Amino acid sequence: MIERSQSLFKMPVAKFACYCFWGICVALLCTAAIAQNRSTPQPTTPDAHVRLGNDYLDKKDYSSARTWFRKAAERDNPVAEHNIGWLYLNGFGVKQDYGEAMNWFHKAASQDYAESENSIGWLYQNGWGVQQDYAEAITWYRKASEKGNARASANLGLLFSNGLGVKQDPAEGANWYRTSAQQGNVKAEVHLGLLYQIGRGVEQNYLEAMAWYLRAADKGDSEAQSAIGRLYQEGHGVTQDYAKAMEWYRKAADQGNATAENDIGSLYENGLGVPQDHSKAEEWFKKANDHVLLPGGIRAPRAIFSPAPDYSKEAREAKFQGTCVLSLIVGADGNPRDIKVLKSLGKGLDEKAIDAVKTWKFEPATKDGVPVAVQIAIEVDFRLK
């Protein structure tokens, strides 16, 4: 039996706001512009005005889109009111103005429009245009979720999982993610897969993790594709297969997924399923680093020296396995500090993980080329094979 412990560098959690569920007409994360059924536009009714506005939205002619949305909004169409708020939220065709976005979302929400209720929650969660208030965000998310809004349910999953505005309850968070995932929300499917993979809020189950990842991957989600590659690389719930891992990583990397690019670099660096090639490894590591941007335009840090932790005697004798999740700050000097356990393993493995990460060295995060300190989270995986 061979002992092996590995660390998976993931960016970021908690402080840099995890799964943000918002976007535009097609794939959104936390808030979205809403399309109605499309046909040949007859711009005489509010619904027709919205359809024509959406046609311009697809063409990224935001000014024209806003003109037609306003025509519909003048007749109290909630979809149009929401979409105008969305334009102000993102600064598309108008100067970005969170206060104005909130005003339009409230107009639509006054008509019980769930998507706008979710968007109001999103503004309160992030403190955009209002004082940050997680409790108020939860109130609005609940209203939207009760009307079947999947994004709102996913956002509740985030807040309960991280204890933002409520007592931290990973199990409750998992339930909200499941509610959203069962409605087909792709990011909730990915996150629920992650929870099953690491055993947070649910009993660890790699087969269940794979099932949720596959649902999302079938929809083209690159995070899910990368996660499936990781399961094949580690042999979690499947027979270890580096070739399949590479296949899934490449699918994700083709979409610019930085985690997958980093993992491809790791395969080349260690000669796993491919001839060892440090030059190719460095190329993939650079691609990954170039694609990771944190909020505020911060380029993420990169681990350049990351020795694996030792196994504790107690865990080895008990043949104990699992994943420890650590939070840490990577300073502007590239050194880790303030290391804390987010998900404990016990049996001495948490201490071993911390001892190892203390020795790590990072290429620091940068903003406009200047090194800055950031908070990140990493997973340290302990396996016996």
Side-chain angles (χ1 to χ4, degrees):
M1 182 172 289
I2 301 172
E3 300 170 14
R4 190 157 62 115
S5 53
Q6 292 197 355
S7 52
L8 172 59
F9 188 49
K10 282 190 174 271
M11 303 263 185
V13 298
K15 190 170 182 178
F16 286 118
C18 337
Y19 287 87
C20 314
F21 304 96
W22 71 290
I24 164 175
C25 291
V26 220
L28 311 186
L29 306 182
C30 198
T31 179
I34 302 301
Q36 292 184 339
N37 293 332
R38 300 226 178 113
S39 59
T40 303
Q42 298 294 323
T44 58
T45 67
D47 287 352
H49 293 153
V50 171
R51 286 195 296 270
L52 188 55
N54 284 327
D55 287 337
Y56 282 112
L57 202 61
D58 282 348
K59 299 171 185 175
K60 298 185 178 181
D61 183 347
Y62 300 119
S63 179
S64 296
R66 183 167 61 95
T67 296
W68 287 104
F69 290 149
R70 278 192 175 275
K71 288 180 180 293
E74 288 169 0
R75 297 167 70 177
D76 297 324
N77 182 286
V79 177
E81 291 168 342
H82 173 83
N83 285 2
I84 293 171
W86 182 85
L87 292 173
Y88 277 105
L89 174 66
N90 292 281
F92 290 151
V94 292
K95 182 179 179 181
Q96 189 175 50
D97 188 331
Y98 295 130
E100 190 67 10
M102 179 69 89
N103 289 337
W104 284 103
F105 290 146
H106 270 294
K107 287 177 184 286
S110 69
Q111 300 184 60
D112 291 326
Y113 193 62
E115 194 61 49
S116 285
E117 291 172 339
N118 175 65
S119 297
I120 292 170
W122 183 243
L123 290 173
Y124 274 111
Q125 178 181 329
N126 291 281
W128 292 344
V130 293
Q131 184 175 348
Q132 188 175 50
D133 189 333
Y134 293 119
E136 188 69 12
I138 288 173
T139 297
W140 285 100
Y141 288 152
R142 284 189 183 276
K143 288 182 180 183
S145 178
E146 287 169 0
K147 297 180 179 69
N149 187 279
R151 279 182 284 272
S153 296
N155 291 331
L156 285 167
L158 170 66
L159 296 183
F160 275 96
S161 293
N162 291 280
L164 301 174
V166 291
K167 181 179 179 181
Q168 188 173 32
D169 189 339
E172 182 71 5
N175 287 336
W176 282 111
Y177 278 125
R178 184 177 291 103
T179 296
S180 180
Q182 288 171 342
Q183 294 175 276
N185 184 290
V186 66
K187 290 303 180 184
E189 291 169 346
V190 174
H191 205 88
L192 190 56
L194 175 62
L195 296 182
Y196 275 109
Q197 182 179 345
I198 67 176
R200 188 167 190 231
V202 294
E203 185 176 348
Q204 190 175 49
N205 187 325
Y206 292 123
L207 293 178
E208 192 72 14
M210 177 67 86
W212 285 107
Y213 285 147
L214 284 171
R215 285 194 188 193
D218 286 344
K219 299 171 185 174
D221 187 87
S222 66
E223 290 183 70
Q225 293 165 345
S226 177
I228 292 170
R230 169 62 58 171
L231 292 179
Y232 274 111
Q233 180 177 341
E234 297 298 325
H236 293 166
V238 293
T239 301
Q240 189 175 49
D241 189 326
Y242 294 124
K244 284 188 176 179
M246 178 67 86
E247 179 183 337
W248 281 103
Y249 287 152
R250 285 193 177 275
K251 286 182 180 181
D254 285 345
Q255 299 184 60
N257 184 284
T259 301
E261 292 168 337
N262 186 75
D263 287 334
I264 292 174
S266 180
L267 292 180
Y268 277 113
E269 184 177 49
N270 295 287
L272 301 176
V274 292
Q276 190 173 46
D277 190 324
H278 294 295
S279 177
K280 281 189 176 180
E282 188 58 33
E283 287 178 14
W284 282 103
F285 288 146
K286 186 177 185 306
K287 282 185 181 181
N289 200 54
D290 288 344
H291 284 150
V292 177
L293 282 181
L294 305 178
I298 296 173
R299 193 168 299 283
R302 178 169 71 91
I304 55 178
F305 177 71
S306 53
D310 296 325
Y311 238 86
S312 67
K313 181 179 179 182
E314 181 184 1
R316 185 190 311 118
E317 291 176 349
K319 298 181 180 179
F320 184 73
Q321 304 182 109
T323 301
C324 172
V325 182
L326 302 178
S327 167
L328 63 142
I329 292 176
V330 177
D333 57 2
N335 292 320
R337 67 172 191 268
D338 298 339
I339 304 171
K340 300 176 182 177
V341 177
L342 290 181
K343 177 179 177 291
S344 174
L345 272 181
K347 297 189 183 297
L349 294 180
D350 298 336
E351 292 78 7
K352 292 293 184 183
I354 291 173
D355 288 344
V357 173
K358 284 180 179 177
T359 70
W360 286 24
K361 182 69 178 177
F362 292 82
E363 182 180 285
T366 58
K367 179 174 175 58
D368 299 326
V370 179
V372 295
V374 295
Q375 184 177 11
I376 63 171
I378 59 172
E379 293 178 359
V380 182
D381 202 18
F382 290 88
R383 300 289 154 215
L384 288 170
K385 293 191 177 180

